[in-house]
């Protein structure tokens, strides 16, 4: 019950809604996707207790490649969960004058001065995360799934960051820092606030 899975069609641009996987029933602990039409699907996994270290079907790495559903096919997906997260502590190096600035929409007791985004790079097992920078210019993110990330800092919240689109994210590569996280690692970063891309 701690694992949530969604499959989203890759090719049907008019049908981008995801379909959840049915949780186990009775003594059977198998998760099931029922009545899935033919096509290619992206598998999205999230968990409150760990991260998906691998997900494969017929030798295909579903963390990197789509799940292919053909007529009459009944693929089995094998998922390996782990909980040996990495931890990140960091500071911003270009926040002079911003530490006491109030941000609209937040109470006086807590005013984040920037927003940090962990964007997983293709070819790894990283998972997208976001956190805020405290008024003292520091931030911390626990429970970071191991993998390769582009870490970005923005003064304003990025509501439309295209983190699932590798081609679109190339625009942001020079604005952040590329970091490799390994299981159990504690990483210290120093970032600079980047300007938003309209």
């Amino acid at each position: 019950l701690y694992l949530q899975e969604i499959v989203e069609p890759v090719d049907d641009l008019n049908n981008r809604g995801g379909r959840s996987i049915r949780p186990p029933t009775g003594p059977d602990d198998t998760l099931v996707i029922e009545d899935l039409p033919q096509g290619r699907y992206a598998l999205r996994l999230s968990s409150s207790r760990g991260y998906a270290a691998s997900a494969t079907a017929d030798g295909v790495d579903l963390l990197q490649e789509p799940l292919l559903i053909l007529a009459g096919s009944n693929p089995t997906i094998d998922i390996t969960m782990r909980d040996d997260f990495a931890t990140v502590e960091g500071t911003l190096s270009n926040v002079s004058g911003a530490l006491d600035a109030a941000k609209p929409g937040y109470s006086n007791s807590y005013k984040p001065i920037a927003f940090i985004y962990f964007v997983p790079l293709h070819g790894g097992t990283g998972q997208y995360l976001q956190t805020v920078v405290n008024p003292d210019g520091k931030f911390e993110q626990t429970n970071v799934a191991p993998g390769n990330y582009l870490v970005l800092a923005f003064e304003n919240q990025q509501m439309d960051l295209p983190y699932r689109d590798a081609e679109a994210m190339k625009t942001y590569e020079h604005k952040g820092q590329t970091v490799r996280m390994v299981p159990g690692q504690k990483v210290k970063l120093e970032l600079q606030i980047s300007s938003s891309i309209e």
Side-chain angles (χ1 to χ4, degrees):
L1 296 179
Y2 61 82
L3 180 63
Q4 293 80 46
E5 310 87 353
I6 293 177
V7 289
E8 297 176 339
V10 172
D11 301 315
D12 186 357
L13 299 179
N14 296 319
N15 181 19
R16 301 300 291 175
R19 181 178 297 201
S20 298
I21 297 177
R22 177 171 62 80
T25 57
D28 187 359
D29 63 356
T30 301
L31 304 166
V32 178
I33 312 172
E34 296 178 315
D35 302 322
L36 198 61
Q38 294 184 61
R40 297 190 309 152
Y41 295 85
L43 179 66
R44 312 295 185 195
L45 300 170
S46 61
S47 173
S48 59
R49 293 179 55 185
Y51 65 92
S54 67
T56 59
D58 297 327
V60 176
D61 181 358
L62 299 181
L63 298 181
Q64 306 300 326
E65 304 296 334
L67 170 65
L68 178 62
I69 300 296
L70 301 174
S73 66
N74 187 24
T76 297
I77 301 174
D78 294 311
I79 301 172
T80 301
M81 300 296 297
R82 295 181 61 167
D83 62 0
D84 50 356
F85 290 104
T87 299
V88 177
E89 293 179 352
T91 58
L92 292 184
S93 61
N94 60 338
V95 293
S96 58
L99 293 180
D100 297 322
K103 295 294 180 185
Y106 294 90
S107 66
N108 290 332
S109 62
Y110 186 73
K111 303 183 184 74
I113 61 169
F115 299 83
I116 306 295
Y117 297 88
F118 295 81
V119 180
L121 300 178
H122 185 75
T125 58
Q127 298 176 359
Y128 177 76
L129 294 168
Q130 56 183 315
T131 190
V132 297
V133 180
N134 298 321
D136 61 0
K138 298 180 180 180
F139 65 92
E140 181 178 15
Q141 179 65 55
T142 60
N143 296 348
V144 180
N148 298 323
Y149 291 87
L150 175 64
V151 186
L152 299 158
F154 294 101
E155 185 174 358
N156 298 308
Q157 194 167 12
Q158 304 297 294
M159 303 301 294
D160 299 315
L161 191 66
Y163 64 91
R164 288 179 175 168
D165 188 335
E167 190 64 29
M169 285 305 302
K170 288 182 179 179
T171 309
Y172 294 81
E173 287 178 352
H174 70 285
K175 291 180 169 289
Q177 193 172 134
T178 301
V179 181
R180 176 175 174 78
M181 311 285 186
V182 300
Q185 183 182 23
K186 192 167 187 177
V187 178
K188 292 186 180 294
L189 296 178
E190 183 173 322
L191 300 175
Q192 290 193 344
I193 295 178
S194 300
S195 59
S196 303
I197 296 180
E198 300 298 335

